[in-house]
């Protein structure tokens, strides 16, 4: 009841106070209406149609309600109050903690702790978002909230299946050393003691230093070891994008590969390129090899940014061995602002089973830079496996229409195309014509045509004509989007 009462008090403060801060009797009015309704039902000897709905139907309705609306529903009658406390209504929860200090945001943190005390035993899927911590006061409050929240979960014997904590940005100056260390201790203690039931873990944007990041992974690995002894399913999905601080060359640490070797049965992994090494790929190949020699790892997503360490050399044989141990492996690669032939050829090796490729130059543009080598020399390596291609190119100094069209027709499995680039309108018409003639198997086409002109009325009219001309194809077979966009 503690959580519902706190939400009810918050509701009364928002709706039951006048400009002077005095209550207007809203809570008394609710109680009065509730009593009158109960007396009316007793006198008439019957109840409304809603009173006869099965609990299953009521739970389905309550799933779509916010907490405040559930509080109102719980006040209707004893039956609804009982249904509101059904475990299925509280298994999934998302908390958003703002990085700004205020009484309202402090109350959000208190409410989260109250929820853990009341419904922590039912909770299975938890997501916590902490956005842009701006000072030490906010980070300390967040650390204290997390410590109390995780402690309450342990006391209620909660069994989380999925845990997501996003964007803590622990390398920001708002985090003092003692607060950051206390938060890591709380996380590692909880994960080591109660992480054995976790199936999915997401620490995207945590930005731990190397030692603290390894401590967290060690805690999860230790819990997974207990899980294997108890014959329970372990971590199947692990999102480690920006798990470590951006400047760290994690690939040079042997401890990282060693701890990843302990994650058995991993099915999905998201990681930064600064973490990749031959030792890591070998550890994944061994850890994910199943009893029937069909590796569990099916999706490996790698993000590489120019500001991250990416100068390590990785042998193609390491990728080949991983693909051999995990025959169903699909690799999704995202490379940002690294489009030189030398840089790309070192990262995008021929042996990688790339299914999804994203290349971006962002707003970076130089006359000496060219996207053509990437389109004609590197990407064609994956013409037999590539299913999804996303390009964001600031190619104002060169035309790439012909190279891009040739690449699209070369990739026979390509089903998804997203291109943000300087292109001729005629490129889109040719693309749709090739699709109509079954020269490509595209199902999704998203094109943003950059232009150096401020007014795009002429381009918009041409796009409308193309849309009208190929409307039958687009309406029946394509997920289609095309606009012109001034890039000034």
């Amino acid at each position: 009841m503690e959580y519902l009462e706190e939400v009810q008090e918050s509701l009364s403060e928002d709706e039951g106070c006048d400009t002077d801060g005095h209550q207007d009797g809203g809570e008394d009015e609710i109680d009065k209406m509730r009593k009158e309704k109960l007396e009316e039902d007793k006198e008439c000897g019957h109840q409304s149609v809603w009173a006869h709905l099965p609990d299953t139907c009521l739970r389905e309705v309550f799933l779509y309600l916010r907490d405040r609306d559930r509080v109102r529903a719980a006040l209707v009658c004893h039956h609804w109050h009982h249904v509101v406390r059904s475990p299925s209504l509280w298994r999934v929860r998302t908390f958003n903690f703002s990085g700004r200090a205020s009484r309202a945001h402090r109350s959000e943190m208190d409410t989260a702790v109250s929820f853990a005390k009341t419904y922590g035993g039912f909770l299975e899927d938890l997501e916590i978002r902490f956005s842009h911590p701006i000072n030490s006061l906010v980070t300390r409050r967040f650390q204290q909230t997390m410590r109390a929240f995780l402690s309450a979960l342990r006391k209620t014997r909660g069994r989380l299946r999925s845990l997501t904590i996003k964007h803590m940005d622990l390398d920001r100056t708002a985090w003092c050393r003692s607060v950051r260390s206390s938060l890591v201790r709380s996380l590692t203690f909880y994960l080591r003691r109660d992480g054995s039931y976790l199936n999915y873990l997401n620490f995207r944007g945590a930005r731990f230093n190397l030692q603290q990041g390894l401590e967290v992974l060690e805690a999860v690995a230790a819990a997974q070891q207990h899980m294997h002894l108890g014959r329970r399913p372990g971590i199947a999905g692990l999102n480690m994008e920006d798990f470590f601080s951006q400047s760290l060359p994690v690939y040079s640490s042997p401890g990282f590969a060693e701890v990843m070797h302990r994650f058995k049965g991993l099915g999905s992994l998201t990681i930064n390129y600064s973490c990749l090494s031959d030792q890591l790929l070998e550890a994944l190949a061994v850890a994910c090899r199943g009893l029937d020699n069909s590796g569990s790892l099916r999706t490996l997503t790698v993000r590489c940014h120019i500001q991250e360490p990416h100068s390590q050399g990785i042998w193609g044989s390491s990728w080949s061995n991983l693909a051999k141990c995990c025959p169903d492996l699909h690799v999704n690669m995202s490379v940002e602002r690294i489009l030189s032939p030398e840089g790309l050829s070192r990262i995008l090796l021929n042996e990688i089973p790339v299914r999804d490729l994203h290349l971006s130059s962002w707003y970076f543009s130089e006359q000496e830079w060219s996207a053509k080598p990437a389109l004609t020399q590197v990407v064609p390596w994956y013409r037999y496996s590539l299913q999804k291609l996303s390009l964001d190119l600031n190619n104002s100094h060169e035309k790439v229409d012909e190279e891009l069209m040739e690449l699209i027709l070369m990739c026979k499995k390509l089903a998804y195309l997203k291109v943000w680039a300087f292109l001729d309108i005629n490129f889109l018409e040719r693309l749709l014509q090739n699709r109509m003639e079954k020269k490509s198997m595209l199902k999704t086409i998203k094109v943003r045509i950059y232009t150096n002109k401020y007014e795009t009325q002429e381009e918009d009219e041409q796009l409308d004509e193309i849309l009208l001309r190929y409307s039958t194809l687009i309406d029946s077979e394509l997920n289609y989007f095309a606009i012109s966009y001034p890039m000034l």
Side-chain angles (χ1 to χ4, degrees):
M1 286 296 294
E2 181 179 352
Y3 176 69
L4 290 179
E5 289 173 356
E6 183 162 338
V7 175
Q8 183 178 349
E9 290 175 2
S10 175
L11 181 64
S12 300
E13 290 175 0
D14 293 342
E15 300 179 353
C17 296
D18 57 20
T19 55
D20 296 326
H22 299 294
Q23 291 188 353
D24 62 0
E27 186 175 350
D28 294 338
E29 185 66 23
I30 293 176
D31 291 339
K32 182 179 179 182
M33 293 174 61
R34 178 183 172 189
K35 292 178 181 178
E36 291 178 353
K37 184 68 173 64
L38 291 174
E39 292 177 358
E40 180 182 346
D41 290 340
K42 290 180 180 179
E43 293 177 359
C44 297
H46 68 278
Q47 293 179 321
S48 66
V49 176
W50 280 90
H52 298 287
L53 277 178
D55 291 359
T56 302
C57 296
L58 283 175
R59 279 192 290 269
E60 288 297 320
V61 174
F62 293 162
L63 277 173
Y64 293 93
L65 299 182
R66 299 174 302 174
D67 287 359
R68 292 190 171 191
D69 296 325
R70 290 180 184 177
V71 169
R72 292 188 177 100
L75 296 175
V76 172
C77 62
H78 290 291
H79 180 206
W80 282 27
H81 178 82
H82 174 73
V83 175
V84 166
R85 290 185 57 82
S86 299
S88 60
L89 295 177
W90 310 100
R91 287 173 181 160
V92 179
R93 182 61 34 168
T94 298
F95 294 106
N96 294 285
F97 297 145
S98 172
R100 298 185 178 275
S102 71
R103 291 186 60 186
H105 298 142
R106 177 63 176 175
S107 124
E108 291 174 359
M109 296 183 178
D110 293 337
T111 300
V113 176
S114 297
F115 177 91
K117 292 179 179 179
T118 308
Y119 296 110
F122 305 147
L123 193 59
E124 294 182 357
D125 188 341
L126 172 64
E127 179 176 352
I128 295 174
R129 301 171 184 170
F130 186 45
S131 305
H132 308 299
I134 61 173
N135 56 46
S136 59
L137 175 61
V138 173
T139 56
R140 183 174 294 277
R141 285 181 175 177
F142 178 76
Q143 175 263 322
Q144 293 171 347
T145 299
M146 287 300 301
R147 181 179 61 187
F149 187 91
L150 296 176
S151 176
L153 279 183
R154 295 197 68 244
K155 291 178 180 179
T156 58
R157 300 185 182 275
R159 295 181 176 181
L160 287 182
R161 302 292 191 272
S162 171
L163 175 60
T164 298
I165 306 179
K166 289 184 177 180
H167 308 305
M168 290 188 290
D169 290 334
L170 293 171
D171 58 352
R172 293 172 69 114
T173 56
W175 289 94
C176 66
R177 181 180 301 178
S178 60
V179 174
R180 183 169 53 240
S181 299
S182 296
L183 177 64
V184 172
R185 282 198 300 270
S186 298
L187 287 174
T188 54
F189 184 80
Y190 175 80
L191 291 171
R192 190 178 299 273
R193 298 296 183 88
D194 295 85
S196 60
Y197 294 91
L198 283 172
N199 182 258
Y200 177 77
L201 187 62
N202 184 342
F203 276 123
R204 180 183 179 185
R207 299 195 182 278
F208 293 104
N209 63 34
L210 183 59
Q211 178 183 353
Q212 292 172 339
L214 292 180
E215 287 178 5
V216 172
L217 292 176
E218 285 281 358
V220 179
Q224 296 300 296
Q225 184 175 1
H226 292 299
M227 169 275 302
H228 284 293
L229 295 177
R231 299 186 180 277
R232 293 193 295 269
I235 293 285
L238 185 60
N239 189 331
M240 297 177 59
E241 181 179 347
D242 296 332
F243 180 83
F244 292 100
S245 183
Q246 188 178 49
S247 60
L248 290 176
V250 184
Y251 61 83
S252 62
S253 170
F256 179 65
E258 291 174 3
V259 70
M260 292 302 297
H261 178 271
R262 299 169 61 185
F263 285 86
K264 309 294 183 181
L266 198 61
S268 173
L269 175 64
T270 301
I271 204 169
N272 291 70
Y273 189 82
S274 58
C275 298
L276 285 185
S277 64
D278 291 317
Q279 292 75 20
L280 175 64
L281 296 180
E282 181 181 355
L284 291 176
V286 175
C288 298
R289 184 184 291 122
L291 296 177
D292 56 353
N293 291 325
S294 60
S296 62
L297 189 62
R298 287 173 171 77
T299 303
L300 176 59
T301 302
V302 181
R303 175 185 179 273
C304 185
H305 191 276
I306 193 172
Q307 296 180 352
E308 301 171 355
H310 57 274
S311 60
Q312 73 271 34
I314 300 178
W315 290 98
S317 57
S318 299
W319 282 107
S320 298
N321 182 50
L322 179 61
K324 181 180 179 180
C325 294
C326 302
D328 296 328
L329 176 65
H330 295 285
V331 178
N332 307 324
M333 297 287 297
S334 176
V335 184
E336 300 174 4
R337 294 187 58 181
I338 307 174
L339 292 179
S340 65
E342 299 79 12
L344 276 182
S345 60
R346 187 176 63 251
I347 297 170
L348 299 177
L349 302 181
N350 189 19
E351 292 83 357
I352 306 176
V354 175
R355 178 185 62 179
D356 181 345
L357 179 62
H358 174 79
L359 300 178
S360 172
S361 65
W362 285 12
Y363 297 106
F364 175 78
S365 179
E366 289 184 1
Q367 295 298 323
E368 297 180 356
W369 167 83
S370 175
K372 290 183 179 181
L375 300 178
T376 59
Q377 300 174 22
V378 181
V379 182
W381 288 344
Y382 311 118
R383 59 183 177 271
Y384 299 117
S385 62
L386 195 61
Q387 300 178 21
K388 184 175 181 179
L389 176 64
S390 301
L391 300 172
D392 188 355
L393 307 175
N394 189 359
N395 60 310
S396 58
H397 57 283
E398 67 172 356
K399 296 176 66 67
V400 296
D401 298 58
E402 295 301 325
E403 291 78 8
L404 181 56
M405 183 63 68
E406 183 178 353
L407 174 64
I408 294 171
L409 298 179
M410 186 186 305
C411 300
K412 299 301 182 180
K413 293 184 178 181
L414 191 64
Y416 179 100
L417 176 67
K418 176 182 174 182
V419 179
W420 280 196
F422 284 90
L423 299 168
D424 291 334
I425 300 293
N426 181 50
F427 170 84
L428 187 58
E429 185 172 10
R430 291 168 55 201
L431 181 62
L432 290 172
Q433 183 63 34
N434 286 326
R435 175 62 179 82
M436 179 175 286
E437 295 174 1
K438 304 297 183 181
K439 293 181 180 179
S440 75
M441 299 305 295
L442 287 172
K443 297 180 180 179
T444 298
I445 297 177
K446 297 184 177 182
V447 179
R448 177 186 287 179
I449 298 178
Y450 289 149
T451 176
N452 286 321
K453 298 189 299 183
Y454 182 76
E455 293 292 338
T456 62
Q457 182 177 356
E458 181 181 352
E459 287 79 5
D460 294 339
E461 291 176 354
Q462 294 178 8
L463 289 176
D464 290 340
E465 292 177 2
I466 293 175
L467 177 63
L468 181 62
R469 193 175 304 128
Y470 292 92
S471 59
T472 302
L473 171 67
I474 292 172
D475 294 340
S476 60
E477 300 184 36
L478 291 178
N479 176 16
Y480 176 83
F481 169 82
I483 62 169
S484 59
Y485 188 86
M487 179 76 91
L488 302 176

